[in-house]
């Protein structure tokens, strides 16, 4: 029987350093119970034993917790707004050496999309993006830069021709794009936040967290941004208390630090 979730959370933290206290409990428990049952477990202690002894199941569990779903130019209308309004505004305010952070970057789709978006306004040699995630596996995939056709479906045709090479059924992103991104391990719920960014992307991640965890993350992002820096969030998210956090809303998904 799946009870004693409090002990399970402590066991998971000891194994992964991922704190389930920050996740919405009802939603997370339902999903974890389903996975554990599929692995033939009837309680949390059995599932923990499986995670300790089966490397593949452990890595799948971490991947599940970090919710790695991504694609290039996800929600194209939002990227169009970035191209036409947000990037020109940032360049006007901060110059062309923009300091950008792609947080919870998953397999690299978004930071690489950002490099291409910026390249319409700034030479590639001036683009330097910090991309972070807490999952080592996805960071390794991001550094390889190999994607399927579905992942790159929304990439503008000129960038697809210029920056991707087809290898069998996969598509390899060019080294000149990869050189613009530095990947690092970072846990948004635990680690200190880097500072002095002109723009931060963190999209479709915090919806899984409690309201307290969301506020903590957004407060940290506010501190990490320069004055008039921009936070870009996902289409499934909203910041209802953005004024209290010190942001002005540029659109439904873009927020500007107002101090």
């Amino acid at each position: 029987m799946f009870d004693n979730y409090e002990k399970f959370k402590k066991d998971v933290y000891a194994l992964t350093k991922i704190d389930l206290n920050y996740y919405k409990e009802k939603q997370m428990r339902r999903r974890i119970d389903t996975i554990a049952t599929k692995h033939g477990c009837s309680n949390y202690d059995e599932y923990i034993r499986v995670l300790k002894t089966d490397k593949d199941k452990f890595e799948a569990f971490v991947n599940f917790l970090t919710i790695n779903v991504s694609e290039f130019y996800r929600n194209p209308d939002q990227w169009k707004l970035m191209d036409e309004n947000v990037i020109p505004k940032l360049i006007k305010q901060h110059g062309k050496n923009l300091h950008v952070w792609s947080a919870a970057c998953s397999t690299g789709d978004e930071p690489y999309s950002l490099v291409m978006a910026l390249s319409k306004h700034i030479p590639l040699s001036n683009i330097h993006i910090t991309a972070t995630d807490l999952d080592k596996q996805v960071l390794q995939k991001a550094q390889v830069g190999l994607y399927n056709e579905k992942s790159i479906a929304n990439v503008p045709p000129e960038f697809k021709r210029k920056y991707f090479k087809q290898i069998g059924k996969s598509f390899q992103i060019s080294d000149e794009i990869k050189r613009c991104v530095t990947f690092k391990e970072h846990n948004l719920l635990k680690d200190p936040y880097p500072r002095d960014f002109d723009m931060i992307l963190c999209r479709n991640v915090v919806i899984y967290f409690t309201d307290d965890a969301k506020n903590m993350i957004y407060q940290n992002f506010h501190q990490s941004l320069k004055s008039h820096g921009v936070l870009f969030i996902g289409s499934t998210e909203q910041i209802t208390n953005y004024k209290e956090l010190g942001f002005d809303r540029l659109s439904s998904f873009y927020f500007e630090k107002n101090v």
Side-chain angles (χ1 to χ4, degrees), residues 146-206:
L146 197 63
Y147 301 93
N148 61 34
E149 190 169 9
K150 183 181 178 182
S151 294
I152 69 166
N154 290 324
V155 174
E158 67 271 24
F159 289 152
K160 201 177 291 186
R161 290 191 297 269
K162 189 174 182 180
Y163 295 126
F164 288 88
K165 179 181 179 182
Q166 187 165 359
I167 302 175
K169 293 184 178 181
S170 299
F171 294 83
Q172 175 74 60
I173 197 161
S174 71
D175 286 342
E176 57 185 324
I177 297 294
K178 289 167 69 174
R179 280 193 290 268
C180 297
V181 184
T182 301
F183 291 98
K184 298 179 180 179
E185 192 176 348
H186 183 268
N187 186 336
L188 287 170
L189 298 170
K190 175 176 157 292
D191 296 332
Y193 280 44
R195 298 295 181 95
D196 296 322
F197 290 102
D198 300 297
M199 180 162 59
I200 296 174
L201 288 79
C202 186
R203 309 182 65 222
N204 307 304
V205 175
V206 303

Side-chain angles (χ1 to χ4, degrees), residues 230-244:
V230 172
L231 173 64
F232 180 19
I233 65 171
S235 59
T236 58
E237 298 159 350
Q238 55 182 326
I239 308 177
T240 55
N241 61 335
Y242 64 89
K243 290 183 179 178
E244 297 170 30

Side-chain angles (χ1 to χ4, degrees), residues 7-199:
K7 179 178 181 298
F8 178 73
K9 288 190 290 187
K10 292 177 182 176
D11 291 338
V12 168
Y13 185 78
L15 279 176
T16 67
K17 300 305 178 194
I18 297 172
D19 191 344
L20 292 179
N21 288 307
Y22 289 117
Y23 291 75
K24 296 176 182 175
E25 182 169 319
K26 185 177 179 181
Q27 181 185 39
M28 185 57 69
R29 283 193 69 168
R30 183 173 63 248
R31 298 172 74 204
I32 289 173
D33 292 357
T34 299
I35 294 174
T37 301
K38 285 182 180 178
H39 292 322
C41 302
S42 58
N43 57 62
Y44 290 129
D45 286 340
E46 287 182 9
Y47 189 37
I48 287 294
R49 284 195 290 272
V50 167
L51 296 178
K52 286 180 176 178
T53 56
D54 190 313
K55 182 181 177 183
D56 290 339
K57 288 184 174 64
F58 172 77
E59 290 178 349
F61 180 64
V62 171
N63 194 56
F64 153 75
L65 288 182
T66 52
I67 310 148
N68 293 305
V69 178
S70 190
E71 61 189 35
F72 283 79
Y73 282 83
R74 190 174 184 177
N75 311 117
D77 288 346
Q78 295 170 32
W79 288 89
K80 183 179 179 183
L81 182 62
M82 178 188 283
D83 176 46
E84 295 177 352
N85 298 93
V86 178
I87 293 175
K89 179 181 175 69
L90 286 172
I91 290 173
K92 185 176 180 180
Q93 290 175 329
H94 302 285
K96 291 191 174 183
N97 288 308
L98 298 176
H99 191 200
V100 183
W101 178 17
S102 176
C105 70
S106 188
T107 52
D109 311 49
E110 289 198 338
Y112 289 143
S113 296
L114 186 56
V115 173
M116 289 184 281
L118 286 167
S119 73
K120 293 179 70 173
H121 306 264
I122 303 171
L124 284 176
S125 58
N126 283 38
I127 299 173
H128 307 285
I129 294 170
T130 300
T132 65
D133 202 279
L134 61 78
D135 189 336
K136 292 179 182 178
Q137 274 193 306
V138 299
L139 290 175
Q140 290 170 355
K141 291 178 182 177
Q143 289 170 315
V144 172
L146 197 63
Y147 301 93
N148 61 34
E149 190 169 9
K150 183 181 178 182
S151 294
I152 69 166
N154 290 324
V155 174
E158 67 271 24
F159 289 152
K160 201 177 291 186
R161 290 191 297 269
K162 189 174 182 180
Y163 295 126
F164 288 88
K165 179 181 179 182
Q166 187 165 359
I167 302 175
K169 293 184 178 181
S170 299
F171 294 83
Q172 175 74 60
I173 197 161
S174 71
D175 286 342
E176 57 185 324
I177 297 294
K178 289 167 69 174
R179 280 193 290 268
C180 297
V181 184
T182 301
F183 291 98
K184 298 179 180 179
E185 192 176 348
H186 183 268
N187 186 336
L188 287 170
L189 298 170
K190 175 176 157 292
D191 296 332
Y193 280 44
R195 298 295 181 95
D196 296 322
F197 290 102
D198 300 297
M199 180 162 59

